[in-house]
Amino acid sequence: MDSTHHLSRTNETPLDGPTSFRRLVGRLLYLTTTRSDISFAIQQLSQFISHPLDTHMATTTRILRYLKGAPSTGLFFSSASDFHVRAFSDLDWASCPDTRRSITGICIFIGSSLVAWRSKKQPTVSRSSSEAEYRALASLSCELQWF
């Protein structure tokens, strides 16, 4: 999914059978355990579980086509890498078109292996990009303490 494309709750056609969409997104959420490349897209789609639209189902179908075309892409845990912990955070300031909240993304590496990642909408609207960055770093710090 293109990171500049933002899904929203616009006045489009609602999905006829939301049960299949919910089941599919739930299975894709489970798949993000080993396929971190789809985490952002699934995080975007999971916001619309209660009221999915036709465009959301089309995006889900596009993700399935991507997965079918790249079956060997996934996580690789090397036994020969060093044991240094590295962590990164980033955000997309006020990117949600409905709520204007920022989306925080974090990832934690041990050596060259990705071991933890998350993409989540911030709970409050930030007044500046600096405030949003501070919230992203605080989220990363909490995750590192737990880790």
Side-chain angles (χ1 to χ4, degrees):
M1 183 173 162
D2 184 14
S3 62
T4 60
H5 177 71
H6 298 287
L7 299 172
S8 66
R9 294 181 175 98
T10 58
N11 294 329
E12 293 183 21
T13 309
L15 196 60
D16 291 334
T19 306
S20 61
F21 175 78
R22 292 175 184 146
R23 186 179 304 125
L24 187 57
V25 170
R27 291 177 179 170
L28 289 172
L29 273 170
Y30 180 74
L31 187 61
T32 60
T33 305
T34 57
R35 295 292 300 260
S36 61
D37 51 341
I38 63 170
S39 293
F40 175 76
I42 301 305
Q43 179 267 337
Q44 291 289 311
L45 285 172
S46 65
Q47 298 177 47
F48 305 103
I49 291 291
S50 62
H51 188 69
L53 303 176
D54 286 335
T55 57
H56 303 145
M57 189 61 172
T59 304
T60 308
T61 306
R62 185 174 178 196
I63 293 169
L64 290 175
R65 277 187 265 142
Y66 166 75
L67 290 171
K68 184 179 179 183
S72 63
T73 306
L75 296 179
F76 176 71
F77 298 106
S78 175
S79 63
S81 67
D82 57 350
F83 193 70
H84 295 296
V85 177
R86 294 180 294 150
F88 302 95
S89 70
D90 195 15
L91 71 103
D92 195 2
W93 182 51
S95 62
C96 180
D98 296 326
T99 61
R100 303 306 297 165
R101 290 192 273 171
S102 304
I103 297 174
T104 299
I106 64 169
C107 60
I108 301 172
F109 290 86
I110 293 182
S112 61
S113 302
L114 179 66
V115 294
W117 62 91
R118 183 175 53 192
S119 176
K120 186 176 180 182
K121 192 185 294 185
Q122 291 184 352
T124 59
V125 177
S126 299
R127 293 182 182 174
S128 67
S129 61
S130 299
E131 180 183 352
E133 286 282 349
Y134 177 74
R135 291 180 192 277
L137 286 174
S139 175
L140 178 62
S141 298
C142 290
E143 188 76 19
L144 281 172
Q145 285 179 347
W146 180 86
F147 193 67

